[in-house]
Amino acid sequence: MKLWGGRFRKDTAAEVEEFNSSIQFDHRLWEQDIAGSLAHVKMLAAVGVLSADEAEVICRGLEEIRLEIEQDKFDFSPEFEDIHMHIEHRLIEKVGPVGGKVHTARSRNDQVALDTHLYVRQEVDKVLDLITLLQEELVKQAENNLDVIMPGYTHLQHAQPVLLSHHLLAYVHMLERDRERFLGCRQRADIMPLGAGALAGTSFPIDRQQVAQELGFAAIYANSLDAVSDRDYILEFLAAAAICLMHLSRLAEELILWSSQEFGFVELDDAYSTGSSIMPQKKNPDVPELVRGKAGRVAGHLMALLMTMKGLPLAYNKDLQEDKEALFDTVDTLTSCLGIFARMIATLKVNEDRMRQATRGDFSTATDLADYLAKRGLPFRQAHAVVGRLVQFCLDQDKILEELTLEELQQASPLFDSDALTVLTPEAAVAARISYGGTAPQQVKQQLAQVRKTLGSRQTKK
Ligand code: ARG
């Protein structure tokens, strides 16, 4: 007999049972579901809706169910639809009809909302730690390669030389904003929906404050319809995850490029690479490639849930059950990507010579030459044109900027002096970029110190 079977004359069709059921995935909410029921029952006893004895029997039953699930002795079957009915059904089986009082003043609508709020809150905390750990590995690589010079790119063309440490720190800052996004999401998941009932509240004299306190919520939903209808806290989680993975994916793309024969800037550790079944020489960057691929999958989950939500009238609709696979898969995907990425970065080998070599003769200090003229009073636009002609001259003569003679420079502009040639090395170009947030070593060191301070103030559970 179904927990809701009373008004039905026929059994549910087997295929509907299967179709309707969410236990295959929402069993993951068992801990939250039990915690929520315990808090609810304690409150019902405190306000006199249940007797102390009844509450005790129910709570003991719930604790036993917790053990059964922990020890893999719990029977999950599609017949009971979802995790909420599984636990209630088992409770009644164990403690008798009094178990049915657990659902007094509650609906699965506020129950499932409660469970997913608790779940998102808990998973955000794990994600925050994982982001910090990845940031730490990036910072360590930045510190170990503080002065390594590489080409900086725009349009994937050599633009101006930068420090590798500067490049890596850019990702640390992106990840910092990702953390902030997750913190914002946590804030909005930290509101308790229980007590909304099916949609309109309840006629029982419940104490929502007590439940919120018991479960450590910062606030309670002030509107019962809102409490059971929205999934914006899940959408925020998916959005934050999609953005975070987009960041990882860009770094992944760079590592894939950088480990190619043409670049040779980095080498992934053997333990974080894979081989080919046919080509014996291959060493493939499967890990960053998969991270890049999975970023697309999570972006898809975000779109899918947005589309599911956008046409729903208030309040609960069964469509909302579709939030869970997106959420769970996003949690799994994001946490595994963050974890493996951190370890891959930690073991990454940097080829300093190849990076430095790549800046040779690439004209990437041309801006510095133009800046030189501008500092001598020539309007920058004219300086740009002068240096553009010099670049063209070099290309025609098949030489690099550093090989220009003072006479050649002065032919282009009388403002050039003997010190002009000194601005042409990548080292000088990097050292000159002392503006706040620039790539000069002194600036990068300041940046590092600031980032170190931020990370140092954080306690992670490693
Ligand atoms: N499994 C359902 C879900 O995930 C639980 C809520 C069911 N509520 C209902 N009125 N059928 O959304």
Side-chain angles (χ1 to χ4, degrees), residues 22 26 81-82 84 108-109 112 231 316 318 320-321 323-324:
S22 53
D26 70 12
E81 208 175 309
D82 57 27
H84 325 293
R108 268 188 299 156
N109 299 349
V112 72
R231 295 292 182 268
Y316 179 85
K318 189 73 173 211
L320 293 175
Q321 181 166 286
D323 62 356
K324 285 171 205 62

PDB file of all heavy atoms in Angstrom, residues 22 26 81-82 84 108-109 112 231 316 318 320-321 323-324, ligand 1:
ATOM      1  N   SER A  22      12.283   8.652  -7.978  1.00  0.00           N
ATOM      2  CA  SER A  22      13.549   9.385  -7.974  1.00  0.00           C
ATOM      3  C   SER A  22      14.561   8.750  -7.028  1.00  0.00           C
ATOM      4  O   SER A  22      15.650   9.286  -6.837  1.00  0.00           O
ATOM      5  CB  SER A  22      13.304  10.838  -7.554  1.00  0.00           C
ATOM      6  OG  SER A  22      12.601  10.897  -6.326  1.00  0.00           O
ATOM      7  N   ASP A  26      17.853  10.282  -5.585  1.00  0.00           N
ATOM      8  CA  ASP A  26      17.711  11.123  -4.379  1.00  0.00           C
ATOM      9  C   ASP A  26      18.011  10.369  -3.076  1.00  0.00           C
ATOM     10  O   ASP A  26      17.964  10.949  -2.000  1.00  0.00           O
ATOM     11  CB  ASP A  26      16.369  11.878  -4.343  1.00  0.00           C
ATOM     12  CG  ASP A  26      15.160  10.981  -4.106  1.00  0.00           C
ATOM     13  OD1 ASP A  26      15.331   9.813  -3.748  1.00  0.00           O
ATOM     14  OD2 ASP A  26      14.028  11.487  -4.294  1.00  0.00           O
ATOM     15  N   GLU A  81       9.037   5.343  -4.400  1.00  0.00           N
ATOM     16  CA  GLU A  81       9.196   6.623  -5.081  1.00  0.00           C
ATOM     17  C   GLU A  81      10.469   7.383  -4.743  1.00  0.00           C
ATOM     18  O   GLU A  81      11.340   7.536  -5.575  1.00  0.00           O
ATOM     19  CB  GLU A  81       7.968   7.500  -4.814  1.00  0.00           C
ATOM     20  CG  GLU A  81       7.682   8.481  -5.920  1.00  0.00           C
ATOM     21  CD  GLU A  81       6.376   9.249  -5.674  1.00  0.00           C
ATOM     22  OE1 GLU A  81       5.333   8.602  -5.408  1.00  0.00           O
ATOM     23  OE2 GLU A  81       6.413  10.484  -5.757  1.00  0.00           O
ATOM     24  N   ASP A  82      10.533   7.918  -3.541  1.00  0.00           N
ATOM     25  CA  ASP A  82      11.688   8.778  -3.262  1.00  0.00           C
ATOM     26  C   ASP A  82      12.228   8.543  -1.858  1.00  0.00           C
ATOM     27  O   ASP A  82      11.690   7.748  -1.096  1.00  0.00           O
ATOM     28  CB  ASP A  82      11.342  10.261  -3.492  1.00  0.00           C
ATOM     29  CG  ASP A  82      10.141  10.732  -2.660  1.00  0.00           C
ATOM     30  OD1 ASP A  82       9.888  10.148  -1.579  1.00  0.00           O
ATOM     31  OD2 ASP A  82       9.459  11.689  -3.099  1.00  0.00           O
ATOM     32  N   HIS A  84      12.192  10.345   0.761  1.00  0.00           N
ATOM     33  CA  HIS A  84      11.320  10.756   1.869  1.00  0.00           C
ATOM     34  C   HIS A  84      10.349   9.643   2.238  1.00  0.00           C
ATOM     35  O   HIS A  84      10.166   9.315   3.413  1.00  0.00           O
ATOM     36  CB  HIS A  84      10.559  12.032   1.489  1.00  0.00           C
ATOM     37  CG  HIS A  84      11.369  12.952   0.635  1.00  0.00           C
ATOM     38  ND1 HIS A  84      12.481  13.598   1.109  1.00  0.00           N
ATOM     39  CD2 HIS A  84      11.258  13.291  -0.682  1.00  0.00           C
ATOM     40  CE1 HIS A  84      13.015  14.301   0.128  1.00  0.00           C
ATOM     41  NE2 HIS A  84      12.292  14.135  -0.966  1.00  0.00           N
ATOM     42  N   ARG A 108       5.942  16.686   1.622  1.00  0.00           N
ATOM     43  CA  ARG A 108       7.207  16.383   0.944  1.00  0.00           C
ATOM     44  C   ARG A 108       7.738  17.630   0.239  1.00  0.00           C
ATOM     45  O   ARG A 108       8.920  17.720  -0.060  1.00  0.00           O
ATOM     46  CB  ARG A 108       7.007  15.258  -0.068  1.00  0.00           C
ATOM     47  CG  ARG A 108       7.275  13.898   0.514  1.00  0.00           C
ATOM     48  CD  ARG A 108       7.244  12.854  -0.567  1.00  0.00           C
ATOM     49  NE  ARG A 108       5.946  12.802  -1.213  1.00  0.00           N
ATOM     50  CZ  ARG A 108       5.741  12.339  -2.446  1.00  0.00           C
ATOM     51  NH1 ARG A 108       6.752  11.908  -3.177  1.00  0.00           N
ATOM     52  NH2 ARG A 108       4.529  12.298  -2.955  1.00  0.00           N
ATOM     53  N   ASN A 109       6.833  18.573  -0.021  1.00  0.00           N
ATOM     54  CA  ASN A 109       7.278  19.771  -0.735  1.00  0.00           C
ATOM     55  C   ASN A 109       8.233  20.617   0.105  1.00  0.00           C
ATOM     56  O   ASN A 109       9.263  21.066  -0.384  1.00  0.00           O
ATOM     57  CB  ASN A 109       6.069  20.594  -1.180  1.00  0.00           C
ATOM     58  CG  ASN A 109       5.178  19.815  -2.117  1.00  0.00           C
ATOM     59  OD1 ASN A 109       5.571  18.742  -2.596  1.00  0.00           O
ATOM     60  ND2 ASN A 109       3.976  20.304  -2.367  1.00  0.00           N
ATOM     61  N   VAL A 112      11.490  18.181   0.840  1.00  0.00           N
ATOM     62  CA  VAL A 112      12.546  18.069  -0.180  1.00  0.00           C
ATOM     63  C   VAL A 112      13.297  19.385  -0.312  1.00  0.00           C
ATOM     64  O   VAL A 112      14.516  19.402  -0.528  1.00  0.00           O
ATOM     65  CB  VAL A 112      11.970  17.598  -1.541  1.00  0.00           C
ATOM     66  CG1 VAL A 112      11.140  18.681  -2.221  1.00  0.00           C
ATOM     67  CG2 VAL A 112      13.093  17.150  -2.468  1.00  0.00           C
ATOM     68  N   ARG A 231      13.967  27.189  -6.762  1.00  0.00           N
ATOM     69  CA  ARG A 231      15.215  26.420  -6.718  1.00  0.00           C
ATOM     70  C   ARG A 231      16.373  27.338  -7.087  1.00  0.00           C
ATOM     71  O   ARG A 231      17.374  26.898  -7.632  1.00  0.00           O
ATOM     72  CB  ARG A 231      15.150  25.236  -7.693  1.00  0.00           C
ATOM     73  CG  ARG A 231      14.100  24.179  -7.350  1.00  0.00           C
ATOM     74  CD  ARG A 231      14.450  23.412  -6.068  1.00  0.00           C
ATOM     75  NE  ARG A 231      13.485  22.367  -5.753  1.00  0.00           N
ATOM     76  CZ  ARG A 231      12.414  22.533  -4.954  1.00  0.00           C
ATOM     77  NH1 ARG A 231      12.180  23.722  -4.396  1.00  0.00           N
ATOM     78  NH2 ARG A 231      11.602  21.532  -4.701  1.00  0.00           N
ATOM     79  N   TYR A 316       4.666  24.034  -5.806  1.00  0.00           N
ATOM     80  CA  TYR A 316       5.420  22.851  -6.216  1.00  0.00           C
ATOM     81  C   TYR A 316       4.855  22.242  -7.494  1.00  0.00           C
ATOM     82  O   TYR A 316       3.645  22.174  -7.693  1.00  0.00           O
ATOM     83  CB  TYR A 316       5.411  21.796  -5.094  1.00  0.00           C
ATOM     84  CG  TYR A 316       6.168  20.537  -5.504  1.00  0.00           C
ATOM     85  CD1 TYR A 316       7.548  20.463  -5.348  1.00  0.00           C
ATOM     86  CD2 TYR A 316       5.508  19.455  -6.089  1.00  0.00           C
ATOM     87  CE1 TYR A 316       8.255  19.335  -5.738  1.00  0.00           C
ATOM     88  CE2 TYR A 316       6.209  18.328  -6.489  1.00  0.00           C
ATOM     89  CZ  TYR A 316       7.579  18.274  -6.316  1.00  0.00           C
ATOM     90  OH  TYR A 316       8.272  17.158  -6.712  1.00  0.00           O
ATOM     91  N   LYS A 318       5.958  18.733 -10.094  1.00  0.00           N
ATOM     92  CA  LYS A 318       6.858  17.583 -10.098  1.00  0.00           C
ATOM     93  C   LYS A 318       8.090  17.807 -10.964  1.00  0.00           C
ATOM     94  O   LYS A 318       9.125  17.160 -10.787  1.00  0.00           O
ATOM     95  CB  LYS A 318       6.106  16.331 -10.562  1.00  0.00           C
ATOM     96  CG  LYS A 318       6.891  15.030 -10.402  1.00  0.00           C
ATOM     97  CD  LYS A 318       7.019  14.577  -8.950  1.00  0.00           C
ATOM     98  CE  LYS A 318       7.653  13.198  -8.902  1.00  0.00           C
ATOM     99  NZ  LYS A 318       7.188  12.402  -7.770  1.00  0.00           N
ATOM    100  N   LEU A 320      10.086  19.861 -10.618  1.00  0.00           N
ATOM    101  CA  LEU A 320      11.184  20.255  -9.727  1.00  0.00           C
ATOM    102  C   LEU A 320      12.063  19.077  -9.332  1.00  0.00           C
ATOM    103  O   LEU A 320      13.206  19.260  -8.921  1.00  0.00           O
ATOM    104  CB  LEU A 320      10.627  20.946  -8.470  1.00  0.00           C
ATOM    105  CG  LEU A 320       9.954  22.302  -8.726  1.00  0.00           C
ATOM    106  CD1 LEU A 320       9.336  22.849  -7.442  1.00  0.00           C
ATOM    107  CD2 LEU A 320      10.963  23.306  -9.282  1.00  0.00           C
ATOM    108  N   GLN A 321      11.517  17.871  -9.468  1.00  0.00           N
ATOM    109  CA  GLN A 321      12.332  16.690  -9.166  1.00  0.00           C
ATOM    110  C   GLN A 321      13.546  16.611 -10.097  1.00  0.00           C
ATOM    111  O   GLN A 321      14.538  15.965  -9.783  1.00  0.00           O
ATOM    112  CB  GLN A 321      11.463  15.431  -9.300  1.00  0.00           C
ATOM    113  CG  GLN A 321      12.172  14.126  -8.995  1.00  0.00           C
ATOM    114  CD  GLN A 321      11.178  12.989  -8.809  1.00  0.00           C
ATOM    115  OE1 GLN A 321      10.513  12.933  -7.775  1.00  0.00           O
ATOM    116  NE2 GLN A 321      11.062  12.106  -9.773  1.00  0.00           N
ATOM    117  N   ASP A 323      15.617  18.783 -10.634  1.00  0.00           N
ATOM    118  CA  ASP A 323      16.771  19.559 -10.156  1.00  0.00           C
ATOM    119  C   ASP A 323      17.906  18.668  -9.668  1.00  0.00           C
ATOM    120  O   ASP A 323      19.063  19.065  -9.669  1.00  0.00           O
ATOM    121  CB  ASP A 323      16.346  20.526  -9.036  1.00  0.00           C
ATOM    122  CG  ASP A 323      15.794  19.803  -7.797  1.00  0.00           C
ATOM    123  OD1 ASP A 323      15.672  18.558  -7.813  1.00  0.00           O
ATOM    124  OD2 ASP A 323      15.460  20.504  -6.812  1.00  0.00           O
ATOM    125  N   LYS A 324      17.550  17.451  -9.264  1.00  0.00           N
ATOM    126  CA  LYS A 324      18.526  16.672  -8.498  1.00  0.00           C
ATOM    127  C   LYS A 324      19.659  16.065  -9.294  1.00  0.00           C
ATOM    128  O   LYS A 324      20.819  16.126  -8.886  1.00  0.00           O
ATOM    129  CB  LYS A 324      17.803  15.581  -7.714  1.00  0.00           C
ATOM    130  CG  LYS A 324      17.094  16.188  -6.545  1.00  0.00           C
ATOM    131  CD  LYS A 324      16.186  15.236  -5.843  1.00  0.00           C
ATOM    132  CE  LYS A 324      15.130  16.044  -5.152  1.00  0.00           C
ATOM    133  NZ  LYS A 324      14.298  16.842  -6.107  1.00  0.00           N
TER     134      LYS A 324
HETATM  135  N1  ARG B   1      10.748  13.443  -5.107  1.00  0.00           N
HETATM  136  C1  ARG B   1      10.083  14.688  -5.075  1.00  0.00           C
HETATM  137  C2  ARG B   1      10.997  15.768  -5.635  1.00  0.00           C
HETATM  138  O1  ARG B   1      12.131  15.533  -5.762  1.00  0.00           O
HETATM  139  C3  ARG B   1       9.717  15.049  -3.673  1.00  0.00           C
HETATM  140  C4  ARG B   1       8.553  15.970  -3.542  1.00  0.00           C
HETATM  141  C5  ARG B   1       7.327  15.292  -3.997  1.00  0.00           C
HETATM  142  N2  ARG B   1       6.179  16.100  -3.779  1.00  0.00           N
HETATM  143  C6  ARG B   1       5.007  15.840  -4.376  1.00  0.00           C
HETATM  144  N3  ARG B   1       4.028  16.626  -4.116  1.00  0.00           N
HETATM  145  N4  ARG B   1       4.862  14.835  -5.201  1.00  0.00           N
HETATM  146  O2  ARG B   1      10.606  16.818  -5.977  1.00  0.00           O
END
